[in-house]
């Protein structure tokens, strides 16, 4: 991905790096490193450390730089997607970097105030991600968090964001920045659901933003893969129907099509048909999946309806575990490259559908959060005559990481640190396959080999060619995973 706009000066870089304070055991610890073609391999696994090993991060006295610290102080934010992977890391950084921050209003899908407060506590306040803040504030931690984080009952998939008018009027006068990190990120999502959140959600949020009396910036988190099947250099230009999106695309027609399909089908068939519809519509317009297709629609809606509102769009690539902050290796759930690595390390299936030389565009979550904060400070003066776009990616580097390299790194780590104590088999290196048929055949053979080994050679001759029901389910899972990841395993854009 081409990154043509520089969002951080050297002062900003010093600002971010200063957050770690003096070197301490927790932040400076490194798992075994192995050089490979001039690269450094760092273990992808984070091992829990006792809280006493974590020293509070002390903010040193620094020059004002580009004004990030000054900007954060006293500002209030409205955040969607706050319980998600990126949203949590962003909130943690905001609160740790500037305890003098104003309020952070968090849109939460809940039935009432009690359940909203419970979600806030269970998913954010009690999360291990915030352990440095717990250390910093001690016994007053919960009081501090509750004074800063204000749950707002609502849903970005509903009209008026599902917020009652009294609450909307009250908070609209306090918000300085709106950060939209909500999104349905499932690659093979139902078309109606993806449209409602990824395409129409930004429209609903824009309408709310226009009622915010002191708003300085509307920041939307998109994806670096939003431009579809294009190869080569991807520029930081906003998407607009009629310019870089075909004028044949009519979003209202797509919404109508999805709504009609939702009414037509029922039960399990309904979900299946709506997923198929999303894939078919995306493919017909030049996108791989409903996810990226509907995110592109969301960008185009923002561009066409923003009026004079200051807007910045952030496009991160595949967001992976934290590099440094608040500690190395934090990851929420099994996501991005993790299922592929676990396929070999846990299930011992050494096969991938992809190209060894394709670009592996991953970016640590803390780097994305830092980019968002620097963008807010840079553009929240209210003077953004055009929609600004920033690609937060890694393939614009002169020597981008290749898919084969990350799998080689993972192989080395899994050999040194097996995922299970019972693993005695020597792992095989990943084999890359160029076709789905070749991949399916190889995985099927691997599963049959495992099933024979489990029977200790006592299987009948038929088991040499026939998979058990469990084996068939396993094969179906890996084939589905391969189809889902296929566009990114042959990725050539930069």
């Amino acid at each position: 991905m081409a990154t043509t706009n520089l969002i951080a000066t050297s002062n900003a870089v010093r600002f971010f790096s200063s957050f770690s304070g003096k070197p301490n055991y927790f932040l400076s610890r490194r798992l075994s490193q192995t050089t490979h073609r001039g690269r450094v391999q760092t273990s992808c696994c984070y091992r829990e450390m006792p809280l006493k090993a974590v020293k509070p991060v002390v903010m040193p006295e620094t020059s004002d730089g580009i004004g990030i610290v000054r900007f954060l102080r006293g500002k209030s934010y409205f955040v969607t997607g706050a319980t998600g992977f990126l949203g949590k890391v962003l909130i943690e950084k905001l609160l740790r970097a500037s305890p003098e921050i104003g309020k952070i209003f968090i849109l939460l899908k809940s039935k009432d105030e009690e359940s909203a407060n419970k979600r806030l506590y269970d998913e954010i306040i009690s999360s291990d991600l915030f352990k440095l803040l717990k250390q910093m504030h001690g016994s007053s931690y919960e009081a501090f968090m509750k004074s800063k984080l204000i749950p707002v009952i609502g849903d970005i998939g509903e009209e008026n964001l599902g917020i009652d008018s009294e609450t909307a009027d009250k908070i609209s006068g306090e918000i300085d920045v709106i950060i939209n990190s909500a999104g349905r990120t499932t690659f093979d999502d139902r078309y109606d659901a993806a449209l409602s959140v990824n395409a129409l959600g930004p429209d609903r949020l824009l309408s709310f933003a226009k009622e915010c009396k002191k708003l300085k910036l509307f920041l939307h988190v998109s994806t670096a893969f939003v431009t579809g099947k294009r190869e080569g250099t991807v520029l930081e230009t906003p998407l607009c129907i009629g310019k870089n999106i075909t004028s044949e695309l009519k979003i209202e027609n797509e919404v109508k099509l999805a709504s009609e399909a939702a009414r037509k089908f029922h039960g399990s068939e309904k979900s299946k048909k709506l997923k198929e519809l999303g894939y078919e519509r995306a493919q017909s317009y030049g996108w791989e999946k409903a996810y990226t297709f509907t995110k592109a629609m969301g960008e185009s809606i923002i561009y066409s309806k923003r009026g004079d509102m200051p807007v910045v769009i952030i496009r991160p690539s595949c967001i992976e575990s934290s590099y440094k902050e608040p500690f190395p290796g934090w990851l929420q759930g099994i996501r991005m490259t993790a299922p592929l690595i676990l396929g070999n390390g846990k299930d011992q299936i050494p096969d991938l559908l992809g190209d060894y030389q394709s670009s592996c565009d991953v970016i640590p979550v803390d780097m994305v959060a830092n980019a968002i904060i620097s963008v807010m400070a840079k553009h929240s003066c209210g003077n953004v005559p055009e929609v600004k776009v920033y690609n937060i990616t890694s393939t614009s580097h002169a020597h981008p990481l290749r898919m084969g390299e990350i799998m080689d790194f993972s192989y080395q780590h899994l050999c040194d640190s097996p995922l299970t104590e019972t693993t005695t088999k020597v792992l095989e290196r990943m084999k890359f396959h160029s076709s789905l048929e070749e991949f399916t055949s190889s995985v099927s053979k691997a599963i049959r080999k495992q099933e024979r080994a489990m029977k200790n050679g006592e299987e009948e001759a038929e088991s040499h060619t026939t998979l058990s029901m469990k084996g068939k389910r396993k094969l179906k899972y890996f084939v589905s995973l391969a189809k889902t990841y296929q566009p990114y395993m042959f990725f050539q854009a930069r």
Side-chain angles (χ1 to χ4, degrees):
M1 298 291 177
T3 306
T4 57
N5 293 316
L6 298 179
I7 61 175
T9 64
S10 59
N11 286 331
V13 173
R14 286 196 293 270
F15 168 81
F16 290 133
S17 63
S18 71
F19 284 2
S20 60
K22 295 180 179 179
N24 60 60
Y25 172 77
F26 188 81
L27 289 178
S28 63
R29 64 181 285 272
R30 291 287 184 271
L31 300 178
S32 60
Q33 297 181 335
T34 305
T35 59
H36 179 76
R37 295 189 190 176
R39 298 187 185 279
V40 177
Q41 176 200 5
T42 303
S43 167
C44 60
C45 295
Y46 161 66
R47 294 179 177 140
E48 190 70 46
M49 296 294 296
L51 186 59
K52 64 182 180 180
V54 184
K55 296 182 180 180
V57 176
V58 179
M59 292 293 293
E61 292 295 326
T62 62
S63 62
D64 194 42
I66 63 173
I68 296 176
V69 175
R70 183 179 69 250
F71 169 77
L72 294 178
R73 191 176 297 120
K75 298 295 189 303
S76 290
Y77 305 84
F78 183 85
V79 181
T80 68
T83 59
F85 179 41
L86 174 59
K88 278 186 183 178
V89 173
L90 176 61
I91 287 173
E92 193 278 340
K93 181 61 176 283
L94 287 170
L95 294 174
R96 180 163 49 88
S98 180
E100 302 84 9
I101 201 173
K103 298 175 182 177
I104 302 178
F105 297 98
I106 297 174
L107 187 68
L108 287 177
K109 188 176 181 179
S110 303
K111 61 181 180 180
D112 54 35
E113 184 177 347
E114 182 181 354
S115 61
N117 285 322
K118 186 177 187 304
R119 276 199 70 189
L120 177 67
Y121 182 83
D122 291 346
E123 299 184 40
I124 295 181
I125 295 177
S126 64
S127 171
D128 285 345
L129 175 68
F130 295 85
K131 61 174 61 180
L132 286 181
L133 277 169
K134 293 177 185 177
Q135 180 97 14
M136 289 170 65
H137 294 279
S139 60
S140 64
Y141 167 73
E142 285 193 19
F144 169 76
M145 295 292 279
K146 290 177 180 178
S147 71
K148 299 295 182 181
L149 305 180
I150 313 299
V152 177
I153 299 173
D155 184 351
I156 197 170
E158 296 181 5
E159 291 303 314
N160 301 316
L161 303 178
I163 306 174
D164 67 84
S165 57
E166 183 179 351
T167 300
D169 290 341
K170 181 179 179 181
I171 67 176
S172 63
E174 300 185 49
I175 298 168
D176 295 285
V177 177
I178 289 177
I179 303 170
N180 180 31
S181 64
R184 292 184 66 96
T185 58
T186 304
F187 292 153
D188 60 342
D189 203 2
R190 286 176 44 154
Y191 197 36
D192 58 339
L195 279 168
S196 179
V197 175
N198 297 342
L200 303 183
D203 191 14
R204 300 183 187 108
L205 197 56
L206 268 179
S207 297
F208 171 72
K210 291 175 181 177
E211 301 300 320
C212 294
K213 305 169 183 63
K214 51 182 286 193
L215 188 70
K216 297 175 177 61
L217 186 69
F218 183 98
L219 190 146
H220 174 71
V221 180
S222 184
T223 170
F225 304 99
V226 76
T227 55
K229 298 180 181 180
R230 303 174 191 178
E231 296 185 356
T233 301
V234 178
L235 299 177
E236 295 172 317
T237 54
L239 295 179
C240 176
I241 293 177
K243 293 185 178 179
N244 44 20
I245 297 180
T246 175
S247 57
E248 294 179 2
L249 175 61
K250 308 293 183 185
I251 297 176
E252 60 274 17
N253 291 347
E254 298 301 311
V255 173
K256 181 180 179 181
L257 188 65
S259 298
E260 290 174 348
R263 289 193 297 268
K264 179 180 179 181
F265 300 105
H266 304 279
S268 59
E269 185 185 28
K270 182 176 182 177
S271 179
K272 179 183 177 182
K273 292 295 185 181
L274 284 166
K275 287 181 178 181
E276 291 174 354
L277 178 63
Y279 176 78
E280 291 167 2
R281 300 305 293 173
Q283 287 285 321
S284 68
Y285 282 102
W287 275 262
E288 296 285 1
K289 305 286 183 180
Y291 165 59
T292 51
F293 185 38
T294 53
K295 290 295 279 187
M297 292 185 207
E299 279 199 23
S300 69
I301 288 175
I302 292 173
Y303 181 84
S304 63
K305 294 190 176 184
R306 76 175 186 112
D308 59 356
M309 184 179 300
V311 170
V312 172
I313 295 174
I314 296 291
R315 292 178 182 166
S317 55
C318 295
I319 305 178
E320 279 288 1
S321 58
S322 58
Y323 166 66
K324 186 175 183 180
E325 299 184 80
F327 44 81
W330 188 79
L331 183 67
Q332 179 169 286
I334 305 299
R335 54 187 294 119
M336 298 309 172
T337 58
L340 306 178
I341 295 169
L342 288 173
N344 191 18
K346 182 180 178 181
D347 297 295
Q348 298 183 342
I349 300 296
D351 296 277
L352 281 177
L353 176 62
D355 181 2
Y356 185 100
Q357 293 297 331
S358 65
S359 300
C360 182
D361 203 321
V362 295
I363 193 78
V365 64
D366 48 333
M367 292 187 182
V368 180
N370 286 344
I372 289 174
I373 293 173
S374 65
V375 162
M376 289 193 304
K378 180 176 177 63
H379 293 297
S380 288
C381 60
N383 182 25
V384 187
E386 300 293 336
V387 175
K388 301 290 290 186
V389 177
Y390 292 101
N391 294 334
I392 312 301
T393 64
S394 59
T395 52
S396 57
H397 191 274
H399 302 287
L401 181 67
R402 302 298 178 183
M403 189 61 65
E405 290 178 300
I406 196 169
M407 291 305 160
D408 287 346
F409 295 158
S410 301
Y411 167 80
Q412 293 166 19
H413 172 74
L414 291 169
C415 288
D416 294 337
S417 304
L419 294 179
T420 61
E421 295 180 359
T422 58
T423 300
T424 56
K425 173 187 172 183
V426 177
L427 289 177
E428 297 181 40
R429 286 188 178 274
M430 281 289 194
K431 300 189 292 288
F432 285 77
H433 304 281
S434 59
S435 71
L436 183 62
E437 292 75 16
E438 181 184 312
F439 168 82
T440 303
S441 175
S442 184
V443 173
S444 180
K445 289 178 182 177
I447 296 174
R448 286 200 300 271
K449 184 177 179 181
Q450 291 175 2
E451 291 187 339
R452 289 197 300 270
M454 289 179 65
K455 292 182 179 180
N456 296 316
E458 298 177 1
E459 75 288 352
E460 297 179 0
E462 184 183 2
S463 67
H464 285 275
T465 57
T466 305
L467 293 175
S468 67
M469 290 302 296
K470 183 178 179 181
K472 289 178 181 178
R473 288 195 298 269
K474 190 173 184 179
L475 176 61
K476 182 179 180 180
Y477 165 75
F478 277 101
V479 170
S480 175
L481 192 68
K483 289 180 179 178
T484 298
Y485 279 80
Q486 186 173 2
Y488 313 100
M489 299 296 287
F490 293 92
F491 186 64
Q492 298 298 330
R494 295 183 67 179

